[in-house]
Amino acid sequence: MPNVEPNRLPATTLVKLIEGGELTAEAVVRSCLERIAEREPVVRAWAYLTAEMALGRAREIDGAKTQSLLKGVPFGIKDIFDTADMPTTYGSPIYVGCRPAYDASAAVLPRASGGIPLGKTVTTEFANRQPGPTTNPHNPDFSPGGSSSGSAAAVADFMVPLAIAASSGSSRALGCSRRPACGSILRPSTRLASWRAWWAISRCFGRR
């Protein structure tokens, strides 16, 4: 096993180590939670954390013998995507405590692939211009970018190896331009994932 904290390892390495029995999913989740506890007061990347649920899911994965694409990898979900087991506020005070009836595909697909959600990441209100509290993890005096600031900052600060983001106004591009270490930005093919159960400024310009 590499001599580095699990939260700093890329997702591909984590999957190999977990499937090879060199690392447990629970150890990875605990490492991420420790990093969050240390840095969240400054970075403020999270709208909601689900530590106990994540640890429980990690133990289930450790007890299973199956292989999967994201086995044991913790991830964050931008708070414009509906989640039935976590609040979804769309970054707005008028939706505080909102509990959707079902999950968006952005939450379903990584879970089905063995990923472990740690919580919801901060977004600007309705993924628009009203900024959230997230700071740039490299320098709190600088901007963290646009509506996906929570997801990108969480990855940049090694809180999670992966986070789900979206872009209707180039928030992912802004994030990467202002956070050189923000992590990988992946965009699925058009119509690969369902449009249902997430807040988009525009169905024409919204990009996951």
Side-chain angles (χ1 to χ4, degrees):
M1 175 179 163
N3 187 25
V4 63
E5 299 95 332
N7 63 290
R8 291 180 175 270
L9 295 173
T12 51
T13 301
L14 290 173
V15 172
K16 290 179 182 178
L17 292 173
I18 292 170
E19 290 188 339
E22 300 179 64
L23 189 63
T24 65
E26 182 175 358
V28 177
V29 169
R30 289 191 182 279
S31 181
C32 289
L33 291 173
E34 288 172 4
R35 178 65 175 180
I36 291 169
E38 175 190 356
R39 292 283 294 160
E40 179 62 8
V42 175
V43 180
R44 302 175 74 184
W46 297 88
Y48 183 83
L49 283 168
T50 178
E52 291 306 316
M53 186 171 71
L55 287 167
R57 179 58 182 148
R59 296 184 194 105
E60 292 176 5
I61 289 173
D62 286 333
K65 302 300 182 182
T66 57
Q67 294 184 339
S68 54
L69 185 65
L70 295 176
K71 184 173 183 177
V73 175
F75 68 95
I77 311 173
K78 183 177 178 178
D79 196 28
I80 61 167
F81 294 103
D82 288 355
T83 47
D85 54 0
M86 292 180 277
T88 302
T89 70
Y90 315 108
S92 175
I94 68 174
Y95 278 99
V96 169
C98 172
R99 289 277 186 155
Y102 46 81
D103 289 342
S105 61
V108 172
L109 294 176
R111 289 191 212 228
S113 297
I116 302 173
L118 285 194
K120 308 297 285 289
T121 56
V122 170
T123 179
T124 57
E125 187 173 23
F126 302 126
N128 208 311
R129 287 178 167 76
Q130 184 63 32
T134 304
T135 65
N136 189 308
H138 302 299
N139 187 333
D141 294 331
F142 283 73
S143 167
S147 67
S148 295
S149 55
S151 287
V155 174
D157 203 55
F158 301 106
M159 295 176 172
V160 281
L162 294 174
I164 307 299
S167 182
S168 291
S170 300
S171 70
R172 289 176 300 177
L174 284 171
C176 279
S177 69
R178 299 176 189 185
R179 287 179 299 275
C182 77
S184 297
I185 298 296
L186 304 176
R187 178 182 174 184
S189 300
T190 304
R191 293 185 294 277
L192 183 63
S194 171
W195 287 96
R196 295 187 61 192
W198 72 290
W199 189 287
I201 298 173
S202 167
R203 297 301 188 192
C204 296
F205 297 109
R207 299 181 293 275
R208 286 148 296 182

